PDB file of all heavy atoms in Angstrom:
ATOM      1  N   MET B  53       1.501 -12.022   4.067  1.00 95.00           N
ATOM      2  CA  MET B  53       1.317 -11.831   2.625  1.00 95.00           C
ATOM      3  C   MET B  53       0.329 -10.694   2.371  1.00 95.00           C
ATOM      4  O   MET B  53       0.483  -9.914   1.436  1.00 95.00           O
ATOM      5  CB  MET B  53       0.793 -13.108   1.988  1.00 95.00           C
ATOM      6  CG  MET B  53       0.947 -13.132   0.481  1.00 95.00           C
ATOM      7  SD  MET B  53       0.519 -14.747  -0.151  1.00 95.00           S
ATOM      8  CE  MET B  53       1.085 -14.613  -1.830  1.00 95.00           C
ATOM      9  N   LEU B  56       1.676  -7.165   2.371  1.00 93.00           N
ATOM     10  CA  LEU B  56       2.291  -6.738   1.120  1.00 93.00           C
ATOM     11  C   LEU B  56       1.249  -6.597   0.006  1.00 93.00           C
ATOM     12  O   LEU B  56       1.136  -5.564  -0.630  1.00 93.00           O
ATOM     13  CB  LEU B  56       3.349  -7.778   0.735  1.00 93.00           C
ATOM     14  CG  LEU B  56       4.479  -7.313  -0.148  1.00 93.00           C
ATOM     15  CD1 LEU B  56       5.201  -6.161   0.494  1.00 93.00           C
ATOM     16  CD2 LEU B  56       5.428  -8.459  -0.386  1.00 93.00           C
ATOM     17  N   ASN B  57       0.460  -7.665  -0.204  1.00 91.00           N
ATOM     18  CA  ASN B  57      -0.464  -7.682  -1.341  1.00 91.00           C
ATOM     19  C   ASN B  57      -1.704  -6.841  -1.096  1.00 91.00           C
ATOM     20  O   ASN B  57      -2.206  -6.184  -1.992  1.00 91.00           O
ATOM     21  CB  ASN B  57      -0.893  -9.116  -1.645  1.00 91.00           C
ATOM     22  CG  ASN B  57       0.240  -9.926  -2.213  1.00 91.00           C
ATOM     23  OD1 ASN B  57       1.388  -9.501  -2.155  1.00 91.00           O
ATOM     24  ND2 ASN B  57      -0.063 -11.066  -2.759  1.00 91.00           N
ATOM     25  N   PHE B  63       1.962  -6.838  -5.569  1.00 90.00           N
ATOM     26  CA  PHE B  63       1.561  -8.230  -5.815  1.00 90.00           C
ATOM     27  C   PHE B  63       2.800  -9.099  -5.918  1.00 90.00           C
ATOM     28  O   PHE B  63       3.399  -9.220  -6.963  1.00 90.00           O
ATOM     29  CB  PHE B  63       0.708  -8.316  -7.076  1.00 90.00           C
ATOM     30  CG  PHE B  63       0.059  -9.640  -7.240  1.00 90.00           C
ATOM     31  CD1 PHE B  63      -0.767 -10.145  -6.253  1.00 90.00           C
ATOM     32  CD2 PHE B  63       0.279 -10.395  -8.375  1.00 90.00           C
ATOM     33  CE1 PHE B  63      -1.354 -11.380  -6.394  1.00 90.00           C
ATOM     34  CE2 PHE B  63      -0.313 -11.638  -8.525  1.00 90.00           C
ATOM     35  CZ  PHE B  63      -1.126 -12.126  -7.540  1.00 90.00           C
ATOM     36  N   SER B  64       3.175  -9.674  -4.759  1.00 91.00           N
ATOM     37  CA  SER B  64       4.379 -10.495  -4.720  1.00 91.00           C
ATOM     38  C   SER B  64       4.005 -11.959  -4.555  1.00 91.00           C
ATOM     39  O   SER B  64       3.065 -12.299  -3.844  1.00 91.00           O
ATOM     40  CB  SER B  64       5.260 -10.047  -3.548  1.00 91.00           C
ATOM     41  OG  SER B  64       6.058 -11.120  -3.107  1.00 91.00           O
ATOM     42  N   LEU B  65       4.763 -12.827  -5.225  1.00 92.00           N
ATOM     43  CA  LEU B  65       4.519 -14.269  -5.094  1.00 92.00           C
ATOM     44  C   LEU B  65       5.760 -14.968  -4.566  1.00 92.00           C
ATOM     45  O   LEU B  65       6.055 -16.085  -4.926  1.00 92.00           O
ATOM     46  CB  LEU B  65       4.114 -14.865  -6.448  1.00 92.00           C
ATOM     47  CG  LEU B  65       2.757 -14.436  -6.990  1.00 92.00           C
ATOM     48  CD1 LEU B  65       2.542 -15.019  -8.378  1.00 92.00           C
ATOM     49  CD2 LEU B  65       1.638 -14.892  -6.080  1.00 92.00           C
ATOM     50  N   GLY B  66       6.491 -14.304  -3.694  1.00 91.00           N
ATOM     51  CA  GLY B  66       7.731 -14.891  -3.198  1.00 91.00           C
ATOM     52  C   GLY B  66       7.586 -15.567  -1.844  1.00 91.00           C
ATOM     53  O   GLY B  66       8.581 -15.954  -1.234  1.00 91.00           O
ATOM     54  N   GLN B  67       6.356 -15.691  -1.360  1.00 93.00           N
ATOM     55  CA  GLN B  67       6.122 -16.181  -0.005  1.00 93.00           C
ATOM     56  C   GLN B  67       6.837 -17.496   0.284  1.00 93.00           C
ATOM     57  O   GLN B  67       7.509 -17.622   1.302  1.00 93.00           O
ATOM     58  CB  GLN B  67       4.618 -16.319   0.233  1.00 93.00           C
ATOM     59  CG  GLN B  67       4.209 -16.399   1.679  1.00 93.00           C
ATOM     60  CD  GLN B  67       4.293 -15.051   2.370  1.00 93.00           C
ATOM     61  OE1 GLN B  67       4.827 -14.094   1.827  1.00 93.00           O
ATOM     62  NE2 GLN B  67       3.776 -14.981   3.568  1.00 93.00           N
ATOM     63  N   ALA B  68       6.713 -18.479  -0.626  1.00 94.00           N
ATOM     64  CA  ALA B  68       7.325 -19.791  -0.395  1.00 94.00           C
ATOM     65  C   ALA B  68       8.842 -19.667  -0.263  1.00 94.00           C
ATOM     66  O   ALA B  68       9.459 -20.360   0.541  1.00 94.00           O
ATOM     67  CB  ALA B  68       6.960 -20.753  -1.518  1.00 94.00           C
ATOM     68  N   GLY B  69       9.432 -18.759  -1.035  1.00 95.00           N
ATOM     69  CA  GLY B  69      10.877 -18.565  -0.971  1.00 95.00           C
ATOM     70  C   GLY B  69      11.319 -18.071   0.393  1.00 95.00           C
ATOM     71  O   GLY B  69      12.293 -18.562   0.966  1.00 95.00           O
ATOM     72  N   PHE B  70      10.586 -17.100   0.942  1.00 96.00           N
ATOM     73  CA  PHE B  70      10.955 -16.555   2.249  1.00 96.00           C
ATOM     74  C   PHE B  70      10.659 -17.560   3.358  1.00 96.00           C
ATOM     75  O   PHE B  70      11.380 -17.636   4.341  1.00 96.00           O
ATOM     76  CB  PHE B  70      10.240 -15.231   2.490  1.00 96.00           C
ATOM     77  CG  PHE B  70      10.653 -14.176   1.507  1.00 96.00           C
ATOM     78  CD1 PHE B  70       9.767 -13.656   0.599  1.00 96.00           C
ATOM     79  CD2 PHE B  70      11.971 -13.740   1.475  1.00 96.00           C
ATOM     80  CE1 PHE B  70      10.171 -12.709  -0.323  1.00 96.00           C
ATOM     81  CE2 PHE B  70      12.386 -12.789   0.555  1.00 96.00           C
ATOM     82  CZ  PHE B  70      11.486 -12.277  -0.349  1.00 96.00           C
ATOM     83  N   MET B  71       9.575 -18.338   3.176  1.00 95.00           N
ATOM     84  CA  MET B  71       9.292 -19.402   4.143  1.00 95.00           C
ATOM     85  C   MET B  71      10.430 -20.410   4.162  1.00 95.00           C
ATOM     86  O   MET B  71      10.857 -20.863   5.218  1.00 95.00           O
ATOM     87  CB  MET B  71       8.000 -20.119   3.768  1.00 95.00           C
ATOM     88  CG  MET B  71       6.749 -19.369   4.104  1.00 95.00           C
ATOM     89  SD  MET B  71       5.318 -20.190   3.421  1.00 95.00           S
ATOM     90  CE  MET B  71       5.302 -21.694   4.397  1.00 95.00           C
ATOM     91  N   LEU B  72      10.901 -20.741   2.953  1.00 95.00           N
ATOM     92  CA  LEU B  72      12.002 -21.705   2.851  1.00 95.00           C
ATOM     93  C   LEU B  72      13.236 -21.183   3.583  1.00 95.00           C
ATOM     94  O   LEU B  72      13.865 -21.911   4.346  1.00 95.00           O
ATOM     95  CB  LEU B  72      12.309 -21.959   1.375  1.00 95.00           C
ATOM     96  CG  LEU B  72      13.493 -22.874   1.038  1.00 95.00           C
ATOM     97  CD1 LEU B  72      13.143 -23.718  -0.164  1.00 95.00           C
ATOM     98  CD2 LEU B  72      14.766 -22.117   0.776  1.00 95.00           C
ATOM     99  N   LEU B  73      13.550 -19.923   3.377  1.00 95.00           N
ATOM    100  CA  LEU B  73      14.714 -19.338   4.054  1.00 95.00           C
ATOM    101  C   LEU B  73      14.547 -19.438   5.565  1.00 95.00           C
ATOM    102  O   LEU B  73      15.483 -19.812   6.282  1.00 95.00           O
ATOM    103  CB  LEU B  73      14.873 -17.874   3.642  1.00 95.00           C
ATOM    104  CG  LEU B  73      15.458 -17.640   2.254  1.00 95.00           C
ATOM    105  CD1 LEU B  73      15.321 -16.184   1.875  1.00 95.00           C
ATOM    106  CD2 LEU B  73      16.911 -18.066   2.228  1.00 95.00           C
ATOM    107  N   ILE B 124      16.947  -8.318  -2.608  1.00 92.00           N
ATOM    108  CA  ILE B 124      16.271  -8.418  -3.906  1.00 92.00           C
ATOM    109  C   ILE B 124      15.288  -7.269  -4.086  1.00 92.00           C
ATOM    110  O   ILE B 124      14.926  -6.944  -5.200  1.00 92.00           O
ATOM    111  CB  ILE B 124      15.590  -9.785  -4.133  1.00 92.00           C
ATOM    112  CG1 ILE B 124      14.395  -9.963  -3.213  1.00 92.00           C
ATOM    113  CG2 ILE B 124      16.551 -10.915  -3.999  1.00 92.00           C
ATOM    114  CD1 ILE B 124      13.453 -11.004  -3.751  1.00 92.00           C
ATOM    115  N   LEU B 136       6.393  -7.599 -10.998  1.00 91.00           N
ATOM    116  CA  LEU B 136       6.865  -7.866  -9.644  1.00 91.00           C
ATOM    117  C   LEU B 136       6.510  -9.300  -9.254  1.00 91.00           C
ATOM    118  O   LEU B 136       7.329 -10.011  -8.675  1.00 91.00           O
ATOM    119  CB  LEU B 136       6.218  -6.877  -8.669  1.00 91.00           C
ATOM    120  CG  LEU B 136       6.558  -7.099  -7.207  1.00 91.00           C
ATOM    121  CD1 LEU B 136       8.028  -6.808  -6.972  1.00 91.00           C
ATOM    122  CD2 LEU B 136       5.712  -6.226  -6.317  1.00 91.00           C
ATOM    123  N   ALA B 137       5.294  -9.732  -9.583  1.00 91.00           N
ATOM    124  CA  ALA B 137       4.866 -11.094  -9.263  1.00 91.00           C
ATOM    125  C   ALA B 137       5.791 -12.108  -9.913  1.00 91.00           C
ATOM    126  O   ALA B 137       6.253 -13.053  -9.276  1.00 91.00           O
ATOM    127  CB  ALA B 137       3.423 -11.309  -9.726  1.00 91.00           C
ATOM    128  N   ILE B 138       6.113 -11.889 -11.195  1.00 92.00           N
ATOM    129  CA  ILE B 138       6.968 -12.830 -11.921  1.00 92.00           C
ATOM    130  C   ILE B 138       8.369 -12.850 -11.309  1.00 92.00           C
ATOM    131  O   ILE B 138       8.954 -13.906 -11.085  1.00 92.00           O
ATOM    132  CB  ILE B 138       7.032 -12.461 -13.414  1.00 92.00           C
ATOM    133  CG1 ILE B 138       5.659 -12.667 -14.047  1.00 92.00           C
ATOM    134  CG2 ILE B 138       8.081 -13.283 -14.139  1.00 92.00           C
ATOM    135  CD1 ILE B 138       5.478 -11.989 -15.370  1.00 92.00           C
ATOM    136  N   ALA B 139       8.894 -11.654 -11.001  1.00 92.00           N
ATOM    137  CA  ALA B 139      10.252 -11.567 -10.459  1.00 92.00           C
ATOM    138  C   ALA B 139      10.356 -12.265  -9.102  1.00 92.00           C
ATOM    139  O   ALA B 139      11.304 -13.000  -8.843  1.00 92.00           O
ATOM    140  CB  ALA B 139      10.670 -10.109 -10.340  1.00 92.00           C
ATOM    141  N   THR B 140       9.359 -12.058  -8.233  1.00 92.00           N
ATOM    142  CA  THR B 140       9.422 -12.668  -6.910  1.00 92.00           C
ATOM    143  C   THR B 140       9.209 -14.175  -6.992  1.00 92.00           C
ATOM    144  O   THR B 140       9.836 -14.941  -6.264  1.00 92.00           O
ATOM    145  CB  THR B 140       8.381 -12.047  -5.972  1.00 92.00           C
ATOM    146  OG1 THR B 140       7.134 -11.969  -6.638  1.00 92.00           O
ATOM    147  CG2 THR B 140       8.804 -10.675  -5.513  1.00 92.00           C
ATOM    148  N   LEU B 141       8.332 -14.584  -7.917  1.00 93.00           N
ATOM    149  CA  LEU B 141       8.128 -16.018  -8.137  1.00 93.00           C
ATOM    150  C   LEU B 141       9.436 -16.653  -8.585  1.00 93.00           C
ATOM    151  O   LEU B 141       9.824 -17.724  -8.105  1.00 93.00           O
ATOM    152  CB  LEU B 141       7.039 -16.214  -9.195  1.00 93.00           C
ATOM    153  CG  LEU B 141       6.509 -17.623  -9.405  1.00 93.00           C
ATOM    154  CD1 LEU B 141       5.784 -18.094  -8.164  1.00 93.00           C
ATOM    155  CD2 LEU B 141       5.580 -17.672 -10.604  1.00 93.00           C
ATOM    156  N   GLY B 142      10.126 -15.964  -9.476  1.00 93.00           N
ATOM    157  CA  GLY B 142      11.414 -16.448  -9.956  1.00 93.00           C
ATOM    158  C   GLY B 142      12.419 -16.567  -8.828  1.00 93.00           C
ATOM    159  O   GLY B 142      13.115 -17.569  -8.705  1.00 93.00           O
ATOM    160  N   PHE B 143      12.436 -15.568  -7.957  1.00 93.00           N
ATOM    161  CA  PHE B 143      13.352 -15.593  -6.814  1.00 93.00           C
ATOM    162  C   PHE B 143      13.088 -16.825  -5.955  1.00 93.00           C
ATOM    163  O   PHE B 143      14.017 -17.522  -5.537  1.00 93.00           O
ATOM    164  CB  PHE B 143      13.181 -14.329  -5.983  1.00 93.00           C
ATOM    165  CG  PHE B 143      13.650 -14.490  -4.574  1.00 93.00           C
ATOM    166  CD1 PHE B 143      15.007 -14.494  -4.288  1.00 93.00           C
ATOM    167  CD2 PHE B 143      12.737 -14.688  -3.538  1.00 93.00           C
ATOM    168  CE1 PHE B 143      15.443 -14.676  -2.990  1.00 93.00           C
ATOM    169  CE2 PHE B 143      13.173 -14.870  -2.245  1.00 93.00           C
ATOM    170  CZ  PHE B 143      14.532 -14.866  -1.965  1.00 93.00           C
ATOM    171  N   ALA B 144      11.803 -17.108  -5.685  1.00 93.00           N
ATOM    172  CA  ALA B 144      11.451 -18.248  -4.835  1.00 93.00           C
ATOM    173  C   ALA B 144      11.965 -19.552  -5.433  1.00 93.00           C
ATOM    174  O   ALA B 144      12.476 -20.423  -4.726  1.00 93.00           O
ATOM    175  CB  ALA B 144       9.939 -18.304  -4.639  1.00 93.00           C
ATOM    176  N   GLU B 145      11.844 -19.666  -6.763  1.00 93.00           N
ATOM    177  CA  GLU B 145      12.296 -20.893  -7.418  1.00 93.00           C
ATOM    178  C   GLU B 145      13.819 -20.993  -7.388  1.00 93.00           C
ATOM    179  O   GLU B 145      14.377 -22.060  -7.176  1.00 93.00           O
ATOM    180  CB  GLU B 145      11.792 -20.933  -8.862  1.00 93.00           C
ATOM    181  CG  GLU B 145      10.287 -21.138  -8.965  1.00 93.00           C
ATOM    182  CD  GLU B 145       9.824 -22.453  -8.351  1.00 93.00           C
ATOM    183  OE1 GLU B 145      10.407 -23.501  -8.685  1.00 93.00           O
ATOM    184  OE2 GLU B 145       8.898 -22.431  -7.513  1.00 93.00           O
ATOM    185  N   ILE B 147      15.887 -19.702  -5.177  1.00 93.00           N
ATOM    186  CA  ILE B 147      16.384 -19.988  -3.833  1.00 93.00           C
ATOM    187  C   ILE B 147      16.151 -21.467  -3.499  1.00 93.00           C
ATOM    188  O   ILE B 147      16.963 -22.097  -2.823  1.00 93.00           O
ATOM    189  CB  ILE B 147      15.731 -19.030  -2.795  1.00 93.00           C
ATOM    190  CG1 ILE B 147      16.629 -18.878  -1.579  1.00 93.00           C
ATOM    191  CG2 ILE B 147      14.366 -19.472  -2.367  1.00 93.00           C
ATOM    192  CD1 ILE B 147      17.718 -17.886  -1.756  1.00 93.00           C
ATOM    193  N   PHE B 226       8.054  -4.740   2.213  1.00 95.00           N
ATOM    194  CA  PHE B 226       8.577  -5.987   1.669  1.00 95.00           C
ATOM    195  C   PHE B 226       9.437  -6.698   2.706  1.00 95.00           C
ATOM    196  O   PHE B 226       9.293  -7.904   2.939  1.00 95.00           O
ATOM    197  CB  PHE B 226       9.394  -5.652   0.415  1.00 95.00           C
ATOM    198  CG  PHE B 226       9.742  -6.832  -0.440  1.00 95.00           C
ATOM    199  CD1 PHE B 226       8.758  -7.717  -0.840  1.00 95.00           C
ATOM    200  CD2 PHE B 226      11.037  -7.033  -0.871  1.00 95.00           C
ATOM    201  CE1 PHE B 226       9.066  -8.803  -1.643  1.00 95.00           C
ATOM    202  CE2 PHE B 226      11.353  -8.107  -1.668  1.00 95.00           C
ATOM    203  CZ  PHE B 226      10.376  -8.992  -2.057  1.00 95.00           C
ATOM    204  N   SER B 230       8.474 -10.113   4.719  1.00 96.00           N
ATOM    205  CA  SER B 230       9.357 -11.270   4.578  1.00 96.00           C
ATOM    206  C   SER B 230       9.856 -11.760   5.926  1.00 96.00           C
ATOM    207  O   SER B 230      10.026 -12.959   6.132  1.00 96.00           O
ATOM    208  CB  SER B 230      10.552 -10.920   3.700  1.00 96.00           C
ATOM    209  OG  SER B 230      10.102 -10.442   2.474  1.00 96.00           O
ATOM    210  N   ALA B 233       7.174 -13.841   7.178  1.00 96.00           N
ATOM    211  CA  ALA B 233       7.107 -15.060   6.361  1.00 96.00           C
ATOM    212  C   ALA B 233       8.201 -16.024   6.800  1.00 96.00           C
ATOM    213  O   ALA B 233       7.986 -17.238   6.868  1.00 96.00           O
ATOM    214  CB  ALA B 233       7.250 -14.709   4.889  1.00 96.00           C
ATOM    215  N   THR B 257       2.831 -21.077  -2.119  1.00 93.00           N
ATOM    216  CA  THR B 257       2.497 -19.645  -2.222  1.00 93.00           C
ATOM    217  C   THR B 257       1.034 -19.475  -2.617  1.00 93.00           C
ATOM    218  O   THR B 257       0.316 -18.643  -2.055  1.00 93.00           O
ATOM    219  CB  THR B 257       3.393 -18.959  -3.270  1.00 93.00           C
ATOM    220  OG1 THR B 257       4.748 -19.183  -2.925  1.00 93.00           O
ATOM    221  CG2 THR B 257       3.122 -17.468  -3.325  1.00 93.00           C
TER     222      THR B 257
END
Side-chain angles (χ1 to χ4, degrees):
Chain B
M53 196 172 191
L56 205 57
N57 290 13
F63 191 57
S64 153
L65 292 176
Q67 198 75 350
F70 296 115
M71 283 172 67
L72 176 142
L73 284 169
I124 69 159
L136 176 67
I138 293 163
T140 47
L141 190 66
F143 158 76
E145 290 299 310
I147 205 82
F226 193 51
S230 304
T257 304

